[in-house]
Amino acid sequence: MTALLLSLLSSLLVGFYIKYLKIKDIKNLFLFVFVNYIVALIVSFILFYDVITFSALKQSFSYIIVLLGILMPAMFYFLNKSLKESGLAKTDIFQRLSLIIPVILSFKLFNEVFTWSKFIAIILAFISIVFLLYKKSTKDGKFNIIYPLMVFLGYGTIDTFFKIIALNKNIPYIVALFLVFFSCAIITGCYLFFIKAKWNYKYVFYGIILGCLNFSNIYFYLKAHKIFFDSPTLVFITMNLGVIIGGTFIGKFYFKEKITKNTSIGILLAIISVILLALIQLKIL
């Protein structure tokens, strides 16, 4: 469980940091994102240079790596557009409900065994997400379905691709992680070159911190999938609910946000769902 908890903690720190930077009004989004991927790339090479060899890179390269290199930076764009066009509440719901894609595919692609106990835990998880994220939008009813839908499909696909990478016994996940960061950096760098972006050293500093946090998040996320290879649903749901619950308490105590009755119900249902999944994993249920 250590890898899963460390991934959750890293993800919470990433969310906290991005929200903190949003308050500081980061405008040059892709410069910030590019530096983040370069730093994550460097950190992964420094820590695992003995594993990242040319032959290993050649063997591990695949179309999924390329797709992740395109999808991950693209999600920053669609997430940003969705926040502007449809508001935070609706964007959050679509992002977290993307969980349904890897959960369903867990039974199809990853041969996870279906049980009614898992089914109940999954239903509780989705109900809790609705309670946790339901609130009035600040956009006066304005809602553009395109960007939230892209967020839903994109994050669900990314989660599924990471699971496929983690379960591939022929590819060291450290090498795959390096290649993912490399692909993301290339795609983002090409975009910055195309739009002739101007460098801002303040954003470079912010990107360095995010890169370290992002590396930790994805590294432990892949490791958790390796450990819980027979129960990907546990990883998917624990991560998503953990981020929402943790983010709620960070919002309450640091950003002074109000916890509503719906939020309290959602937290309770989420805790029950995760406990059920943990008991199933331990073969108690």
Side-chain angles (χ1 to χ4, degrees):
M1 292 293 288
T2 304
L4 186 55
L5 291 174
L6 287 173
S7 178
L8 176 56
L9 177 61
S10 301
S11 187
L12 282 170
L13 288 173
V14 168
F16 170 80
Y17 187 59
I18 289 175
K19 190 166 187 177
Y20 169 77
L21 291 178
K22 185 181 177 184
I23 293 174
K24 282 184 167 290
D25 192 25
I26 293 293
K27 294 179 180 178
N28 200 335
L29 178 68
F30 276 97
L31 175 57
F32 171 66
V33 172
F34 174 69
V35 174
N36 149 67
Y37 287 130
I38 291 294
V39 171
L41 187 66
I42 294 170
V43 171
S44 60
F45 182 76
I46 291 173
L47 293 178
F48 306 106
Y49 67 91
D50 54 332
V51 179
I52 303 171
T53 62
F54 179 77
S55 59
L57 291 171
K58 185 178 179 181
Q59 179 188 355
S60 302
F61 192 77
S62 68
Y63 73 93
I64 290 181
I65 299 290
V66 176
L67 289 174
L68 280 171
I70 297 170
L71 279 173
M72 288 174 65
M75 280 307 101
F76 277 98
Y77 171 79
F78 286 117
L79 192 63
N80 189 48
K81 292 293 288 185
S82 183
L83 287 169
K84 289 179 180 178
E85 294 290 329
S86 303
L88 177 61
K90 291 170 183 174
T91 299
D92 271 349
I93 289 174
F94 273 80
Q95 182 181 351
R96 295 308 164 192
L97 285 180
S98 69
L99 171 68
I100 195 172
I101 295 175
V103 165
I104 291 174
L105 291 178
S106 292
F107 299 103
K108 287 287 185 180
L109 293 180
F110 312 128
N111 299 317
E112 182 169 357
V113 178
F114 175 86
T115 66
W116 285 107
S117 299
K118 286 182 182 178
F119 178 75
I120 293 170
I122 291 168
I123 294 299
L124 283 175
F126 285 117
I127 294 173
S128 73
I129 288 173
V130 174
F131 272 105
L132 283 163
L133 297 178
Y134 177 77
K135 51 187 169 183
K136 292 182 179 179
S137 176
T138 57
K139 291 291 181 179
D140 300 322
K142 184 180 178 182
F143 184 55
N144 184 332
I145 187 63
I146 300 298
Y147 295 121
L149 185 60
M150 293 303 294
V151 168
F152 172 80
L153 294 173
Y155 275 98
T157 304
I158 287 170
D159 271 352
T160 305
F161 281 168
F162 272 126
K163 179 61 180 177
I164 291 173
I165 289 174
L167 290 185
N168 191 331
K169 296 180 181 179
N170 298 319
I171 300 177
Y173 72 94
I174 295 298
V175 178
L177 180 64
F178 179 85
L179 284 171
V180 168
F181 287 138
F182 179 78
S183 298
C184 290
I186 292 294
I187 296 297
T188 313
C190 289
Y191 175 78
L192 290 173
F193 179 78
F194 179 76
I195 65 171
K196 298 179 181 179
K198 294 182 179 180
W199 283 85
N200 184 313
Y201 291 104
K202 178 177 69 174
Y203 295 160
V204 171
F205 174 73
Y206 293 151
I208 290 172
I209 297 175
L210 180 63
C212 293
L213 293 174
N214 222 0
F215 166 80
S216 175
N217 176 28
I218 298 176
Y219 168 72
F220 286 114
Y221 183 68
L222 282 172
K223 193 168 185 178
H225 271 303
K226 280 281 188 183
I227 295 169
F228 298 104
F229 65 91
D230 59 340
S231 186
T233 301
L234 174 66
V235 179
F236 292 135
I237 290 182
T238 302
M239 279 297 299
N240 276 271
L241 294 184
V243 167
I244 296 172
I245 294 171
T248 298
F249 284 112
I250 289 173
K252 163 71 174 176
F253 294 108
Y254 187 86
F255 296 106
K256 308 303 180 184
E257 297 175 353
K258 184 180 178 182
I259 294 182
T260 64
K261 182 180 178 181
N262 283 338
T263 302
S264 301
I265 295 171
I267 289 173
L268 178 61
L269 291 174
I271 291 171
I272 294 172
S273 173
V274 173
I275 289 174
L276 278 175
L277 286 170
L279 293 174
I280 292 166
Q281 180 66 27
L282 295 171
K283 303 187 186 307
I284 295 174
L285 284 179

